[in-house]
């Protein structure tokens, strides 16, 4: 998947920022017009559908208060797969851990 390629999401969603680009997927910050909240969209390239199916199965099976929830999964008109997750406003888990490490080290 080419990082410059902007996916066409259903009208419900508005792309805001591209957060990451890897070999198998692009990750975007997205506004959900129905729920009026920001979500994270991970869009898998057509060449990485097995990775999508594995991640979707795991994400949909995980239900825990301390794990970001998978909100939805669907295919785009181009055949690319998309998984929507809750958006962690403080950034990645790595950033979140660093933030709390700094806060707790002050005490």
């Amino acid at each position: 998947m080419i990082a410059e390629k902007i996916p066409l999401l259903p009208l419900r969603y508005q792309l805001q920022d591209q957060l990451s680009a890897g070999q198998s997927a692009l990750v975007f910050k997205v506004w959900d017009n129905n729920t009026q909240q920001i979500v994270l969209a991970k869009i898998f390239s057509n060449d990485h559908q097995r990775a999508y199916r594995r991640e979707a199965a795991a994400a949909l099976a995980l239900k825990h208060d301390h794990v970001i929830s998978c909100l939805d999964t669907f295919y785009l008109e181009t055949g690319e797969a998309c998984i929507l997750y809750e958006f962690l406003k403080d950034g990645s888990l790595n950033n979140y851990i660093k933030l709390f490490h700094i806060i707790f080290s002050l005490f």
Side-chain angles (χ1 to χ4, degrees), residues 13-98:
Y13 305 105
Q14 294 177 337
L15 288 177
Q16 292 195 333
D17 295 310
Q18 182 174 329
L19 302 177
S20 178
Q23 277 188 328
S24 63
L26 299 175
V27 178
F28 292 92
K29 182 177 173 183
V30 175
W31 178 254
D32 182 337
N33 288 312
N34 287 7
T35 63
Q36 298 293 298
Q37 66 182 4
I38 296 195
V39 298
L40 184 130
K42 186 171 184 181
I43 301 171
F44 290 79
S45 69
N46 289 327
D47 297 341
H48 291 88
Q49 294 303 301
R50 278 181 68 190
Y52 157 73
R53 286 190 297 274
R54 280 191 310 268
E55 183 170 331
L60 290 167
L62 276 171
K63 304 286 185 220
H64 192 278
D65 291 341
H66 300 293
V67 175
I68 292 173
S69 295
C70 177
L71 303 172
D72 197 6
T73 180
F74 53 86
Y75 285 91
L76 304 178
E77 290 181 11
T78 56
E80 295 164 310
C82 181
I83 300 176
L84 295 178
Y85 291 100
E86 289 179 288
F87 184 76
L88 183 62
K89 68 177 181 169
D90 293 323
S92 69
L93 178 59
N94 191 31
N95 290 344
Y96 199 72
I97 290 169
K98 286 178 186 177

